[in-house]
Amino acid sequence: MKINYRISLLFLKALHKEIYTENDNNYKTYYSEEPSDAFYEAVAWGGLAEANPEAWVKLDATKKQEIIKLSERIGKLGKISPCAN
């Protein structure tokens, strides 16, 4: 299962960099950093968390909060100016 998870993250990263290049560049400009694996994990969880699947339910509260916090960055993919924070 861990291998499939890792492959999914790698695919998501490659898709973002190759197909959504502008969004990838905007993210890097806005946050002055590369999107992390944790960010892509948050993207992958996306709407899944709302469906409350067993895997989400079993995550500890700290991990859920990390995912929720990083998922807030998804809406910034279209931003092109640096983050003020």
Side-chain angles (χ1 to χ4, degrees), residues 39-76:
F39 170 75
Y40 288 110
E41 181 180 17
V43 170
W45 274 107
L48 290 176
E50 293 176 15
N52 215 25
E54 184 177 346
W56 177 257
V57 172
K58 288 183 177 182
L59 284 178
D60 66 61
T62 302
K63 182 69 174 174
K64 286 180 186 176
Q65 286 306 311
E66 290 171 4
I67 291 169
I68 291 166
K69 179 106 174 115
L70 278 172
S71 70
E72 293 171 1
R73 290 185 169 201
I74 296 168
K76 306 280 192 301

Side-chain angles (χ1 to χ4, degrees), residues 2-74:
K2 284 270 190 200
I3 293 172
N4 289 339
Y5 169 78
R6 185 72 186 140
I7 290 170
S8 297
L9 278 183
L10 290 172
F11 175 75
L12 191 55
K13 284 175 86 167
L15 180 70
H16 191 224
K17 290 181 184 302
E18 298 297 323
I19 305 296
Y20 299 104
T21 306
E22 185 176 351
N23 281 347
D24 183 58
N25 290 334
N26 289 345
Y27 182 99
K28 290 185 275 192
T29 299
Y30 191 81
Y31 289 108
S32 300
E33 65 185 28
E34 290 281 333
S36 65
D37 285 354
F39 170 75
Y40 288 110
E41 181 180 17
V43 170
W45 274 107
L48 290 176
E50 293 176 15
N52 215 25
E54 184 177 346
W56 177 257
V57 172
K58 288 183 177 182
L59 284 178
D60 66 61
T62 302
K63 182 69 174 174
K64 286 180 186 176
Q65 286 306 311
E66 290 171 4
I67 291 169
I68 291 166
K69 179 106 174 115
L70 278 172
S71 70
E72 293 171 1
R73 290 185 169 201
I74 296 168

